[in-house]
Amino acid sequence: MKSIKLAIILGVLLVLPAFAGAAQWDGLLDVAYRFSWYPKKDVQSLLQEKGEEYGISLEDYRAGLMDTLTSGMAPDGRLQRADLLAGKPLANYYRLALAEFCLYLSNDDTVHLDNAETVLSVFSDKEPRGDVDFWRHLFTAYRNMAERNSPRFIDSVFALWENVVLKQEVDDILMNGERAKVGFVKELPHLYENMAHLVIRRAIIEQEMANLAPLGTIILSIEDKLTLENGYKNLVKAISERMEGVSSDNYNLNFAVAFLEATANRNDFEAATESDQLVAKFNAARKFYQLAYYWADTNKGRATIMGQYMGFLTYVTRRMVDPDDAVATTRFFEKLPGMAVAYLDKGIELYDVIARQSDDFATDGYRKRGNYLISMHRLWDATGKLSIMLADYYKSRRKPHEIETLFPVESPLLKYCALFQRYARVDQDIVPDNAYFLAAYAARELADLYQQLSEYSTGVEASSLFFVYQLQAVELFPSDVTSILQLAYQSNLDGRVEEYFQLNFRTCPFGATY
């Protein structure tokens, strides 16, 4: 008899912690909206931590609810409406639905999302509850996001906003004073966080869903309402600022989010030191620069991103010139200069396209000519600096006697000089002031290149090219005394003194007259 009593006591002692743990999960899931907007890794950590604290994992807790609330599941783990037992406490169905949804947030397995929707269907639409309505609409939005259906996703997010959030805002206004606010209306700050997380993090950044610009109105609406620390307040503020102005794509939400994500990853890249980190952060930045360019609706947006990305490539190429830099010693980046050359061509092509519509800048998305000029100057500046940096990179790797390595050095410089020739003489206002200095530098670099080449050439072509480009450099930047003296010396050496004086008082190829 004693052994039986002892077994019963031991059994009760073993069961009590499970009951206690289940009760703790009950309390946590009742307020799941307070953490359902956490990043995936944070949700995983929270669930694991609470499982250890409660003495029962969420999976085991969910299994216990399944045993008491359902007649079983299909072999694939999915529940059908007919599997739900009648006459059970609604609170338990509510918690089972939230347990399934939390598991979905932690592992992206849509089986759990299916089950969450199925279990929540036990609640009647005729007796609305703010929290149930919130989860019902949120589950639908996540469903459409998982299916990558942008139009339906937009509809479901607006349905969540209009049928739940705005209603809670009305109640919030009617309940004047913090002490008067009761029930689900007190959770409004968490609802805003869930909206921001769903649209920005899950849909745009993680799922890379396009054409979500209409949801920008919601993001702008919640900017001043987000109050939680360590939440989405700062990110939403940054996105709102990026949605207008000269560096925007005119309220394009996708563009603004991708632009900021690219910038964040670029900053992480610049702070990284290990090869694996460098490659991962570079690829992440590149991906979101490309997404922002692809998602841009206007040439204004494309010019902004192209200029930013070329600036990033200039920075990375500069680091490759230093043989001791981690970028230069990482094999992955060996192909980066070739990639940069391709984007240099794209940048010049885009500049040409926008320049052709100089008198109709609104067509490209600009509302003011001042913004148009700022954008064009930035794109030009990025183009010139990338051209020069690419030439520096290839020059650092060539030997003077290797004729075949001449082209990679001279090609970007020639491209910039050609761009300068096209626009420095006409449409002066779209050409920035530093364009002339950059052109003089490029001409001087070409002159130096051809001077080196002339030492290994039996013809006069290389020497003539040196003379022409050195002269152009002096014409464009006449205050460079060193270049003037070098040109005079070389002219005397080549017997071109008379030609030097004649050419100094003509119209140079770049359009300036002296």
Side-chain angles (χ1 to χ4, degrees):
M1 182 64 70
K2 286 185 178 180
S3 61
I4 295 176
K5 289 183 178 180
L6 183 60
I8 293 174
I9 293 173
L10 290 174
V12 171
L13 291 176
L14 290 172
V15 170
L16 283 176
F19 278 124
Q24 289 173 304
W25 277 115
D26 288 348
L28 185 65
L29 292 173
D30 284 345
V31 292
Y33 39 75
R34 296 183 182 179
F35 62 85
S36 54
W37 52 271
Y38 287 7
K40 183 177 178 179
K41 290 184 178 180
D42 290 347
V43 171
Q44 292 171 339
S45 298
L46 176 66
L47 298 182
Q48 181 179 352
E49 176 186 327
K50 292 304 180 182
E52 294 172 356
E53 177 185 341
Y54 299 161
I56 178 174
S57 67
L58 180 60
E59 290 82 358
D60 290 340
Y61 168 83
R62 170 242 190 191
L65 287 177
M66 283 286 188
D67 289 341
T68 60
L69 300 178
T70 73
S71 59
M73 297 179 293
D76 63 356
R78 283 181 168 79
L79 279 173
Q80 300 298 323
R81 182 67 174 84
D83 296 330
L84 300 176
L85 300 178
K88 301 294 181 178
L90 287 176
N92 288 344
Y93 288 114
Y94 180 86
R95 292 159 184 159
L96 176 57
L98 270 297
E100 291 283 4
F101 184 60
C102 288
L103 290 173
Y104 166 71
L105 293 178
S106 69
N107 59 27
D108 289 329
D109 188 344
T110 55
V111 169
H112 295 299
L113 181 58
D114 293 341
N115 290 346
E117 290 182 295
T118 299
V119 175
L120 207 64
S121 67
V122 302
F123 289 87
S124 172
D125 293 335
K126 297 179 181 180
E127 298 178 4
R129 275 179 46 177
D131 53 350
V132 173
D133 288 345
F134 169 73
W135 292 118
R136 182 180 286 118
H137 285 291
L138 189 68
F139 293 170
T140 300
Y142 269 92
R143 161 71 53 210
N144 293 326
M145 182 199 71
E147 295 175 353
R148 302 182 62 80
N149 189 322
S150 293
R152 291 177 61 182
F153 176 73
I154 292 172
D155 290 343
S156 59
V157 173
F158 272 112
L160 171 61
W161 178 254
E162 295 167 0
N163 297 322
V164 179
V165 179
L166 292 184
K167 287 184 179 181
Q168 297 302 318
E169 286 186 347
V170 172
D171 290 342
D172 183 54
I173 294 172
L174 295 176
M175 296 178 186
N176 189 22
E178 290 300 318
R179 294 183 179 180
K181 294 173 184 177
V182 295
F184 196 57
V185 70
K186 295 172 64 176
E187 308 301 337
L188 259 173
H190 297 286
L191 305 193
Y192 297 138
E193 298 288 346
N194 273 277
M195 297 288 292
H197 177 70
L198 170 64
V199 175
I200 298 171
R201 175 60 55 185
R202 293 303 303 261
I204 298 179
I205 296 178
E206 295 180 5
Q207 294 292 329
E208 299 175 16
M209 293 180 68
N211 304 318
L212 300 186
L215 296 178
T217 57
I218 292 178
I219 299 302
L220 291 173
S221 296
I222 67 176
E223 177 188 356
D224 296 329
K225 300 173 183 177
L226 292 163
T227 58
L228 295 178
E229 296 181 1
N230 301 319
Y232 280 87
K233 184 176 180 63
N234 291 334
L235 179 58
V236 168
K237 180 180 179 181
I239 291 171
S240 298
E241 292 172 350
R242 186 61 68 197
M243 288 177 68
E244 60 179 330
V246 66
S247 297
S248 74
D249 192 48
N250 298 343
Y251 295 97
N252 183 337
L253 177 62
N254 282 83
F255 176 90
V257 173
F259 189 178
L260 284 172
E261 192 67 11
T263 303
N265 281 286
R266 173 180 176 172
N267 293 337
D268 289 345
F269 171 84
E270 294 179 5
T273 56
E274 301 297 327
S275 294
D276 291 346
Q277 293 177 334
L278 286 168
V279 173
K281 293 303 180 182
F282 175 83
N283 282 332
R286 176 176 61 173
K287 179 178 75 170
F288 283 103
Y289 276 127
Q290 291 174 338
L291 280 173
Y293 188 86
Y294 172 73
W295 284 338
D297 291 328
T298 66
N299 280 335
K300 173 189 174 186
R302 296 183 189 98
T304 295
I305 289 299
M306 184 60 71
Q308 289 287 324
Y309 190 35
M310 286 197 296
F312 181 44
L313 293 175
T314 299
Y315 166 78
V316 181
T317 305
R318 182 184 300 116
R319 290 183 59 175
M320 293 188 68
V321 175
D322 181 0
D324 297 325
D325 194 290
V327 172
T329 57
T330 301
R331 188 172 182 180
F332 170 84
F333 294 102
E334 291 177 356
K335 296 181 179 179
L336 183 133
M339 179 194 307
V341 169
Y343 275 94
L344 174 62
D345 292 339
K346 290 181 180 180
I348 293 174
E349 180 182 0
L350 179 61
Y351 190 93
D352 286 335
V353 169
I354 303 176
R356 284 196 291 269
Q357 301 177 152
S358 177
D359 295 330
D360 189 19
F361 53 85
T363 303
D364 291 309
Y366 300 97
R367 297 172 183 173
K368 300 178 181 178
R369 184 163 182 83
N371 286 347
Y372 167 76
L373 294 177
I374 291 173
S375 180
M376 291 295 278
H377 291 177
R378 289 176 178 175
L379 182 57
W380 181 292
D381 184 67
T383 299
K385 289 177 179 177
L386 181 57
S387 299
I388 290 171
M389 185 50 59
L390 282 170
D392 283 349
Y393 167 77
Y394 285 115
K395 184 171 69 172
S396 69
R397 278 160 172 71
R398 77 175 298 267
K399 297 178 181 178
H401 65 277
E402 293 177 345
I403 306 300
E404 66 274 10
T405 61
L406 173 70
F407 177 75
V409 182
E410 71 172 349
S411 177
L413 297 173
L414 291 174
K415 288 175 182 178
Y416 178 76
C417 288
L419 178 70
F420 187 85
Q421 286 179 315
R422 287 200 294 278
Y423 298 106
R425 184 170 47 229
V426 294
D427 294 331
Q428 290 282 348
D429 60 349
I430 68 171
V431 179
D433 292 340
N434 70 333
Y436 295 86
F437 172 78
L438 293 174
Y441 183 88
R444 193 160 54 247
E445 287 293 294
L446 285 168
D448 182 63
L449 185 67
Y450 294 131
Q451 184 183 38
Q452 293 180 34
L453 180 62
S454 66
E455 298 176 4
Y456 300 92
S457 174
T458 57
V460 297
E461 183 179 1
S463 180
S464 297
L465 286 172
F466 158 73
F467 183 79
V468 169
Y469 279 103
Q470 186 67 17
L471 179 62
Q472 289 176 356
V474 170
E475 289 175 328
L476 289 166
F477 205 69
S479 61
D480 187 355
V481 178
T482 302
S483 294
I484 294 175
L485 293 175
Q486 183 181 9
L487 179 61
Y489 172 78
Q490 192 65 36
S491 298
N492 182 59
L493 195 65
D494 295 342
R496 289 181 169 180
V497 176
E498 183 178 351
E499 185 179 359
Y500 164 70
F501 284 106
Q502 289 176 348
L503 289 173
N504 254 313
F505 294 93
R506 65 169 174 79
T507 300
C508 75
F510 291 158
T513 302
Y514 295 87

